[in-house]
Amino acid sequence: MPLRSLRQQLAVVPQHPVIFSTSIAENIMMARPGASEAELHEAVRAARVDEFSDRLEHRLQTHVGEKGVTLSGGQRQRIAIARAILRNPRVLILDEATSALDAENERIIQEALDNLIAERTTLVAAHRLATIIHASRIAVLDKGRLIAVGSHQELLESCSVYRRFALLQRLHDEGHGQGAGVLKIRA
């Protein structure tokens, strides 16, 4: 597959998204400059950007400053998610997309991500196991080596490294926390 064709099939939501010194709308539209106004607004709703942009004087036309300095970390993440939704990729890569957020923003972002990962292949790099416990397959990495693959329940039973991090994060009872390096694979 030609590299350009591959890149057109991907969208990435990084831990620290790139936000440009322009408006919220322009930041999102960079994913697909020819998108319609209706498609922009659908992405904004799906990523919950409207929950904060509707309170701003210029709404989506609000300029966000250099690197999005006028926005919170959660707001920057939601813009990055809206960008990925607007791109509508076949493959989505989430790189620690919720790791730097407080619990409330993490919940909001996780709801937006649920909209984004539906109906597409998604790869998620995460230390917070709560982010990936519902994945169809979880690959556990230890010191750069793949040591186990399975569902959350299978790994609790068969992988001591995964079980240890789940216990530290209180995920054996569906709690929350922080810990191991895990890659979620959802097809």
Side-chain angles (χ1 to χ4, degrees):
M1 174 181 284
L3 187 56
R4 180 181 172 137
S5 179
L6 175 64
R7 286 181 178 153
Q8 290 174 337
Q9 304 301 316
L10 301 173
V12 178
V13 178
Q15 180 177 4
H16 302 289
V18 175
I19 303 294
F20 298 94
S21 182
T22 186
S23 72
I24 294 169
E26 289 169 316
N27 265 286
I28 296 167
M29 291 292 287
M30 287 180 182
R32 209 170 96 221
S36 70
E37 193 77 16
E39 290 169 319
L40 168 65
H41 286 288
E42 179 56 37
V44 163
R45 278 190 297 280
R48 312 289 198 277
V49 171
D50 56 341
E51 290 180 9
F52 70 88
S53 66
D54 284 354
R55 294 190 306 262
L56 301 171
E57 182 180 353
H58 300 290
R59 298 181 183 260
L60 292 178
Q61 298 312 312
T62 300
H63 282 261
V64 298
E66 189 72 28
K67 298 181 182 178
V69 70
T70 64
L71 303 170
S72 71
Q75 291 168 338
R76 287 190 295 271
Q77 282 301 105
R78 286 189 254 178
I79 288 172
I81 291 166
R83 194 183 288 156
I85 289 170
L86 186 63
R87 182 148 178 87
N88 194 23
R90 293 178 73 187
V91 178
L92 175 65
I93 301 170
L94 302 174
D95 182 11
E96 295 285 359
T98 63
S99 68
L101 303 174
D102 60 62
E104 178 61 20
N105 272 312
E106 183 179 13
R107 182 191 60 75
I108 293 167
I109 298 294
Q110 194 59 53
E111 289 173 4
L113 288 173
D114 289 344
N115 290 329
L116 182 56
I117 64 176
E119 313 267 338
R120 64 184 39 104
T121 298
T122 306
L123 301 173
V124 179
H127 284 82
R128 292 183 185 181
L129 301 185
T131 305
I132 53 94
I133 61 173
H134 299 294
S136 56
R137 290 189 316 168
I138 301 168
V140 181
L141 305 174
D142 186 31
K143 298 176 185 155
R145 284 186 0 182
L146 177 66
I147 62 169
V149 176
S151 69
H152 173 69
Q153 193 58 45
E154 290 167 345
L155 292 171
L156 283 176
E157 296 168 10
S158 67
C159 180
S160 62
V161 171
Y162 187 88
R163 184 172 42 257
R164 180 170 45 99
F165 283 110
L167 289 170
L168 287 171
Q169 296 177 34
R170 297 190 177 119
L171 285 176
H172 57 288
D173 62 351
E174 301 292 315
H176 291 52
Q178 297 178 345
V182 176
L183 177 67
K184 166 185 166 179
I185 303 172
R186 177 183 174 134

